[in-house]
Amino acid sequence: MHRISKGLGVLAMLLGGNAMADLHLAATAGLSAGGDTLAEVYYTDGSSEKIKGGGLIYLGIGPSFEFKETPWSAQILIGRHFDDISAENATVEFTRNTLEAQVFYRSGDHRFGFGLVKHSSVEYESSGAVVTSTVAEFDDARGASLEYNWLPVGSKFGVSLRAVQIDYELATINGTPVPPESFSGDHFAAGVYLYF
């Protein structure tokens, strides 16, 4: 994954340096859902909330390269994906850093893309009076993405629908190594893009 994203970046920068690609800064944000349930918090009124491996909010930023006289573009985004439940007597959160290298094909105002993703510093943490204080760390994970964008030609704003396949493997709980256990982080997401 690192070699591919690095290679894409070097290629795009070389092409951009020769005026064969337009360089932009891309920023994205969205909501995601899916994956295995990592925790469920119950409230005194009988309601509950779940933390899932594919939720909930993602943010990303990085360079985007539009290759001139072709329908192709590429981008490399770094970001953060996280979900949390905060109550008066409990806090539960699941966080990870993200890196994604994507290639897109444009047809009119529509873009269709695929990419490779890597999640690092994957961590689940719970604390409070009604939950067991736990810090669970996961190994770095790799996966793949498919994405559709509605991005009108010349526009700086677009919307996206995406699907990501990725699994997380448990490594330690409270600093103690544990037998490997896999959790799905697969998710669908909807978001927006801004290009500068």
Side-chain angles (χ1 to χ4, degrees):
M1 170 65 193
H2 178 68
R3 290 179 183 173
I4 293 172
S5 54
K6 185 176 180 181
L8 268 176
V10 170
L11 175 62
M13 283 187 279
L14 288 174
L15 292 174
N18 291 319
M20 295 178 66
D22 289 328
L23 173 62
H24 303 278
L25 180 65
T28 187
L31 298 175
S32 64
D36 289 337
T37 298
L38 302 178
E40 186 167 8
V41 175
Y42 295 89
Y43 298 102
T44 54
D45 65 1
S47 64
S48 66
E49 282 189 78
K50 294 179 180 179
I51 293 277
K52 287 184 167 283
L56 171 69
I57 299 170
Y58 68 89
L59 306 169
I61 192 167
S64 174
F65 307 90
E66 300 284 338
F67 300 109
K68 294 181 178 179
E69 300 179 4
T70 80
W72 295 96
S73 61
Q75 63 188 26
I76 301 171
L77 302 179
I78 58 171
R80 188 82 164 154
H81 199 166
F82 57 93
D83 191 4
D84 72 76
I85 298 171
S86 296
E88 289 183 6
N89 52 7
T91 299
V92 181
E93 58 183 5
F94 182 55
T95 59
R96 54 271 197 213
N97 296 328
T98 64
L99 171 65
E100 184 163 10
Q102 297 172 290
V103 175
F104 289 94
Y105 178 85
R106 177 183 282 278
S107 177
D109 292 341
H110 310 280
R111 293 198 317 174
F112 305 89
F114 62 93
L116 297 176
V117 299
K118 179 180 179 181
H119 291 181
S120 59
S121 299
V122 184
E123 186 176 273
Y124 165 89
E125 186 173 358
S126 63
S127 61
V130 297
V131 296
T132 303
S133 293
T134 303
V135 176
E137 295 180 332
F138 297 77
D139 292 331
D140 290 355
R142 293 168 176 80
S145 67
L146 292 174
E147 185 165 334
Y148 162 76
N149 297 162
W150 178 73
L151 181 66
V153 176
S155 174
K156 293 185 177 182
F157 176 81
V159 297
S160 67
L161 296 173
R162 65 197 321 253
V164 174
Q165 184 281 318
I166 194 166
D167 291 320
Y168 303 116
E169 191 165 287
L170 186 61
T172 67
I173 295 179
N174 295 332
T176 302
V178 295
E181 184 176 358
S182 185
F183 296 87
S184 171
D186 296 354
H187 59 271
F188 293 98
V192 295
Y193 274 105
L194 282 175
Y195 288 89
F196 303 93

